Amino acid sequence: MKIPTHVAIIMDGNGRWAQQRGLPRLLGHREGANSIRACVEACQQAGVQYLTLYAFSLENWKRPMTEVTGLMGLLESFLRERTDEMLRKGIRLRAIGRLQDLPASCYQLLRDSMASTAQNQAFTLILALSYGSRAEIVDAVQSIARDVKAGKIQIDQINDQVIGDHLYTSDIPDPDLLIRTSGEMRLSNFLLWQSSYTEIYVTPKLWPDFRTTDLHKALEDYSNRHRRYGGVAE
Ligand code: FPP
């Protein structure tokens, strides 16, 4: 079976999962946080090397304060409770996004967790936090413009590679497979540049219900795709 090197997931449907049970939205997010563990383990076992999870978008700051605070609390618990396990399992934690926007305590825990797992090589877990793809591209363009102004690079030297090198993901391969749960058919400002040739898989399952078997189905589906990158079929 052909295994993707990098899987990215839009973990959608936590709110609906809670609503269907008459529970507060935050309980949906809590259940969603529980789905992460099994998913990381299943990806690692299947031979995937990078997993990027869309955990909090730039747009998510607009949600009610109680929900934002609750999500930050879940992130803190995740970092406190899972760092040792990640260390043991050879998992390196990374994060992409405007990380300075996070509450100071969260940001510090995140930095500590990333620093302590930095030498791990078996698997890379990337959390997209306060992440927006357009903002990432804006940051990259500004940084390239500064390099041009400083004479470090000529305008006609700007190409795909240079732009990619200025994104948060500069040392991470583009995703091969993008999974979105809860049936929505959109990218929601997630890895727009990096997903140019990514295979997209949408499942109706809500993220808190997403299990190892669902991941295996997505991997199997990917395995049967023929990626052509704009060329002709072999
Ligand atoms: C989308 O569901 C999900 C989110 C906005 C947050 C995802 C967060 C987690 C899974 C848990 C916290 C993260 C970590 C790393 C511990 P939604 O609320 O948009 O669902 P809905 O569309 O059904 O309302």
Side-chain angles (χ1 to χ4, degrees):
M1 195 162 112
K2 187 177 67 179
I3 297 294
T5 302
H6 182 175
V7 174
I9 306 185
I10 301 178
M11 307 180 289
D12 197 12
N14 296 346
R16 271 162 281 175
W17 185 93
Q19 198 177 24
Q20 285 170 6
R21 290 161 178 77
L23 298 169
R25 293 176 57 82
L26 200 57
L27 286 187
H29 294 311
R30 199 174 73 188
E31 215 43 47
N34 289 335
S35 287
I36 293 177
R37 188 165 183 238
C39 184
V40 171
E41 198 168 288
C43 280
Q44 198 176 3
Q45 273 177 9
V48 171
Q49 289 169 45
Y50 297 83
L51 173 66
T52 301
L53 299 175
Y54 204 4
F56 195 87
S57 74
L58 265 182
E59 291 73 25
N60 287 156
W61 292 113
K62 289 185 279 195
R63 294 194 175 194
M65 205 176 70
T66 46
E67 187 169 343
V68 170
T69 313
L71 279 165
M72 292 302 142
L74 286 174
L75 175 62
E76 283 205 30
S77 312
F78 177 86
L79 294 168
R80 280 186 209 286
E81 291 161 18
R82 303 261 182 253
T83 300
D84 281 353
E85 189 182 336
M86 288 193 276
L87 261 175
R88 271 200 318 278
K89 292 185 171 168
I91 300 171
R92 172 172 69 138
L93 181 71
R94 291 280 309 270
I96 54 171
R98 293 197 167 154
L99 308 178
Q100 309 84 328
D101 295 351
L102 298 173
S105 55
C106 244
Y107 186 42
Q108 192 53 50
L109 273 172
L110 181 65
R111 284 169 51 132
D112 291 348
S113 185
M114 289 195 290
S116 63
T117 59
Q119 303 307 322
N120 282 349
Q121 288 181 356
F123 186 82
T124 304
L125 172 64
I126 303 142
L127 297 179
L129 295 164
S130 194
Y131 176 84
S133 195
R134 288 185 173 185
E136 177 184 30
I137 293 169
V138 168
D139 289 351
V141 170
Q142 288 184 353
S143 159
I144 294 167
R146 276 192 292 272
D147 285 353
V148 169
K149 205 170 165 194
K152 288 189 202 160
I153 184 174
Q154 303 297 311
I155 286 184
D156 52 15
Q157 288 175 320
I158 300 171
N159 56 20
D160 283 20
Q161 175 79 38
V162 171
I163 295 173
D165 287 347
H166 283 80
L167 298 173
Y168 309 141
T169 50
S170 57
D171 57 344
I172 297 164
D174 286 344
D176 304 289
L177 172 66
L178 172 76
I179 300 173
R180 182 166 187 147
T181 57
S182 94
E184 239 75 66
M185 303 275 188
R186 46 176 184 267
L187 289 176
S188 300
N189 204 15
F190 186 48
L191 302 175
L192 301 181
W193 174 276
Q194 298 87 337
S195 295
S196 296
Y197 292 102
T198 301
E199 296 295 326
I200 299 178
Y201 178 88
V202 176
T203 165
K205 276 278 176 85
L206 306 177
W207 177 249
D209 291 328
F210 191 84
R211 292 287 163 267
T212 305
T213 46
D214 301 301
L215 178 82
H216 289 152
K217 268 189 216 157
L219 293 179
E220 198 169 318
D221 192 276
Y222 171 83
S223 184
N224 295 322
R225 306 266 184 110
H226 299 286
R227 301 178 76 187
R228 299 203 301 272
Y229 301 95
V232 290
E234 283 160 26

